[in-house]
Amino acid sequence: GTTPQHVVFASTLILVELTDLLRGIILNADIYEEEDFTVTTYNIASFNGRDEESVKKVLKNVLEMLKQEELVNTSRDAVQAIDMILGFQLDFIHLVTSLARLSGKS
């Protein structure tokens, strides 16, 4: 696929993974009422063949593609903005992954 297609795929994939991780954190923290936490995808199936590491790998590959794109592309500002957004998402998933491993159990 094209670089823009990879960017959209990676960003969507990480948002789905972040949603699952954050939901797990909230459920484990027991800070919700069951009826307050409902998730609907409006019958759209999400990609379930993923894990945290595969999502991070996809995002890192797309970031590498962006570096190559920046070298040949004239719209460097757009490429740099996308690079910053995806970089933030990667940092955020590292943080959320660490939080998801925490437990109140001793």
Side-chain angles (χ1 to χ4, degrees):
T2 65
T3 300
Q5 289 172 330
H6 285 282
V7 167
V8 171
F9 174 74
S11 186
T12 303
L13 187 63
I14 202 163
L15 287 173
V16 170
E17 185 66 19
L18 281 168
T19 301
D20 285 349
L21 289 168
L22 289 169
R23 182 176 186 275
I25 290 169
I26 291 167
L27 292 174
N28 288 335
D30 198 26
I31 57 172
Y32 70 100
E33 295 295 327
E34 187 66 36
E35 63 273 5
D36 293 339
F37 197 87
T38 58
V39 177
T40 183
T41 59
Y42 300 100
N43 296 322
I44 298 171
S46 65
F47 175 57
N48 293 324
R50 67 183 195 289
D51 60 17
E52 297 163 24
E53 291 307 313
S54 65
V55 171
K56 290 176 189 177
K57 183 178 178 182
V58 166
L59 196 57
K60 288 176 184 176
N61 288 341
V62 171
L63 286 169
E64 187 59 38
M65 287 176 68
L66 281 172
K67 287 179 186 174
Q68 297 302 318
E69 183 79 15
E70 188 176 15
L71 296 175
V72 296
N73 196 332
T74 56
S75 60
R76 287 196 170 106
D77 290 341
V79 172
Q80 287 175 343
I82 293 168
D83 183 64
M84 288 175 57
I85 291 166
L86 293 178
F88 170 80
Q89 287 180 317
L90 183 60
D91 291 343
F92 191 55
I93 200 166
H94 284 298
L95 172 72
V96 171
T97 301
S98 297
L99 287 174
R101 290 189 184 111
L102 296 177
S103 172
K105 300 173 187 168
S106 317

